[in-house]
Amino acid sequence: MNIALFASGSGSNVKNIIDYFNQDLEVNVKLVISNKSAAGALIHAENSGIKTKVFSYHEINSIFPIIEVFKENDIELVVLAGFLLKIPAELIKEFNGDIINLHPSLLPKYGGKGMYGNNVHKAVIEAGESHTGITIHYVNEQYDEGEIIAQFSTAVSDNETTETLLGKIKTLEKDHFPATINKIIKQKSL
Ligand code: GRF
């Protein structure tokens, strides 16, 4: 199973996924795609000898360069790991249910446009939530609204800051995102 990761940021999740599947003979992280040439995610990929590609906003929206690169690399599953652009509807159709996203809240709470990174954690703390967490879900045409695959939660303490909450979320992501991707792949290959 060849997978492609999409990322715009520092790429801690890209690194976790690469490390998790490093010794796996059946799952191959084949490609890391970004819309930002300075994304840390690309450095993690290069350090592990994984092919990288940077596509502009326009290239992503025209979808053909992506489809081409997917064909060349025989990509069977796409994982969004901190990718900030909306995936075009045509690409979702083309990939028919095989695109997965990670969101740092318990969706449907704190999802949608503008809800990423610290914006999410700030909103959770300001609303006085007792719990938050991560959601792994399929991607559909609406931001953060696709079918939920798995959710994992953590408590929000009284003196929580966006920094401490970010740390808790990163831990959940490390503990559960690669393992959940693995589960999905194993179910697909049955
Ligand atoms: C993660 O918190 C993920 O939940 C969200 O974007 C963040 C990306 O972080 N979708 P990183 O670039 O993987 O460190």
Side-chain angles (χ1 to χ4, degrees), residues 5-20 32 39-45 80-83 102 104 121 134 166-167 169-175 177-178 181:
L5 310 180
F6 276 59
S8 305
S10 67
S12 64
N13 285 282
V14 163
K15 185 172 188 315
N16 295 341
I17 296 166
I18 291 172
D19 292 347
Y20 184 94
V32 175
L42 298 173
I43 297 170
H44 292 308
L80 310 183
F83 187 64
L102 166 69
H121 310 316
I134 61 169
L166 178 67
I169 294 291
K170 291 276 167 220
T171 302
L172 284 181
E173 290 176 343
K174 183 157 199 237
D175 290 347
F177 192 33
I181 296 167

Side-chain angles (χ1 to χ4, degrees), residues 3-143:
I3 66 180
L5 310 180
F6 276 59
S8 305
S10 67
S12 64
N13 285 282
V14 163
K15 185 172 188 315
N16 295 341
I17 296 166
I18 291 172
D19 292 347
Y20 184 94
F21 290 111
N22 190 26
Q23 305 291 331
D24 194 308
L25 298 176
E26 283 161 24
V27 181
N28 199 0
V29 179
K30 197 91 193 271
L31 191 62
V32 175
I33 293 177
S34 186
N35 59 317
K36 294 218 183 296
S37 55
L42 298 173
I43 297 170
H44 292 308
E46 280 154 16
N47 287 343
S48 302
I50 293 167
K51 228 185 275 179
T52 61
K53 285 267 175 193
V54 177
F55 288 122
S56 68
Y57 174 83
H58 292 289
E59 284 169 322
I60 288 166
N61 280 288
S62 83
I63 84 161
F64 293 107
I66 296 183
I67 303 270
E68 189 104 331
V69 96
F70 280 0
K71 282 191 182 141
E72 279 166 18
N73 291 281
D74 212 4
I75 299 300
E76 298 164 87
L77 181 75
V78 175
V79 175
L80 310 183
F83 187 64
L84 292 180
L85 296 182
K86 198 164 182 197
I87 296 293
E90 292 80 4
L91 195 61
I92 295 170
K93 260 190 222 134
E94 186 84 16
F95 243 69
N96 194 21
D98 289 329
I99 308 183
I100 293 163
N101 184 41
L102 166 69
H103 187 81
S105 75
L106 296 172
L107 291 173
K109 284 186 163 183
Y110 309 103
K113 206 167 192 312
M115 276 295 160
Y116 59 87
N118 260 350
N119 297 353
V120 175
H121 310 316
K122 197 165 170 270
V124 165
I125 292 169
E126 279 173 6
E129 296 285 356
S130 63
H131 285 80
T132 186
I134 61 169
T135 301
I136 297 155
H137 65 96
Y138 288 110
V139 172
N140 71 7
E141 279 132 43
Q142 310 303 322
Y143 262 124

